[in-house]
Amino acid sequence: MRVLVLGGTTEARRLAGMVADEFDVVTSLAGRTTDPLRPAGDVRIGGFGGVDGLTRYLRDERIDAVVDATHPFAAAISGNAAVACGASGVPLLMVKRPGWTAGPGDEWHRVASLPEAAGLLPGLGRRVFLTTGRQGLAHFAGLDGCWFLARSVEPPTGAVPPHLEVLLDRGPFTVESERELIIGHRIDVLVTKDSGGADAKLVAARELGVPVLMVNRPPTPDARTVSTADAAASWLRTLGR
């Protein structure tokens, strides 16, 4: 069975490692980082060219199943996969880790988008820990009253806030290191996306009483969905039989 994994996440790499010896697995990466963590099996890098390009790829490569294990905010490719698989008759499974839920001691302010987060930010704090990815920095470029610590894997491009320090790093991170980062940079507000999974910075923010601007996930296509790589592997094995 030939499987296309739409990847870039921990779940995608774990899945490829679990089933690469059983199936012909190709993981597709968007190509937004120059040195991505490579999964087991074959890897392709770059976009497909929209729904039509992905539909052609499924046909030309004789793909038997697609697992969409992209980031929860990769709405475009998830939507394209749902349409292309529906048109091609190729089974599709989505792997989306559960989102975060605020608990006792959390001060979260949920917003629908990065522009909404930028609008609310000055009322919550002035020293900002921004962990929304380098592509979202432009939404905060007009806030010259705030100082930003932005963490990303790659340097930002395009418009950025005028008072910005960039920290190039790749997780996972520990609660202790996140606590030291927040204290050392005198952070008084955290901005992040509801990506789900274990997240040390949210624990550190709770412990230190730092408010969080949490950007909600975009809507997902109507497709069969599981929350773990193990469940996706079981689905593939059942399909393969």
Side-chain angles (χ1 to χ4, degrees), residues 18 93 226-236:
M18 292 172 68
L93 181 74
V226 297
S227 60
T228 65
D230 298 77
S234 296
W235 179 79
L236 286 172

Side-chain angles (χ1 to χ4, degrees), residues 152-172:
S152 61
V153 177
E154 301 273 339
T157 58
V160 298
H163 310 295
L164 172 69
E165 179 179 332
V166 177
L167 176 61
L168 299 180
D169 207 351
R170 192 200 308 258

Side-chain angles (χ1 to χ4, degrees), residues 107-165:
E107 183 189 338
W108 289 8
H109 303 266
R110 284 194 173 270
V111 293
S113 66
L114 288 173
E116 186 178 348
L120 289 178
L121 186 54
L124 292 174
R126 297 295 179 180
R127 294 188 65 84
V128 187
F129 186 17
L130 189 60
T131 64
T132 58
R134 64 190 176 109
Q135 294 182 316
L137 281 173
H139 296 289
F140 301 89
L143 299 180
D144 97 16
C146 294
W147 178 91
F148 291 86
L149 175 66
R151 183 168 64 197
S152 61
V153 177
E154 301 273 339
T157 58
V160 298
H163 310 295
L164 172 69
E165 179 179 332

Side-chain angles (χ1 to χ4, degrees), residues 19-118:
V19 301
D21 291 339
E22 303 172 56
F23 308 116
D24 184 4
V25 178
V26 180
T27 299
S28 177
L29 303 177
R32 290 176 180 165
T33 59
T34 56
D35 186 24
L37 298 175
R38 297 179 74 89
D42 293 333
V43 176
R44 72 172 300 279
I45 296 178
F48 292 96
V51 172
D52 291 343
L54 180 53
T55 302
R56 284 193 301 273
Y57 181 88
L58 298 179
R59 181 193 64 228
D60 294 346
E61 296 296 322
R62 299 184 179 180
I63 299 297
D64 298 301
V66 175
V67 179
D68 174 8
T70 55
H71 192 276
F73 283 79
I77 185 60
S78 292
N80 290 348
V83 175
C85 287
S88 306
V90 175
L92 169 67
L93 181 74
M94 296 184 67
V95 183
K96 298 299 177 188
R97 68 188 77 136
W100 291 316
T101 302
D106 286 321
E107 183 189 338
W108 289 8
H109 303 266
R110 284 194 173 270
V111 293
S113 66
L114 288 173
E116 186 178 348

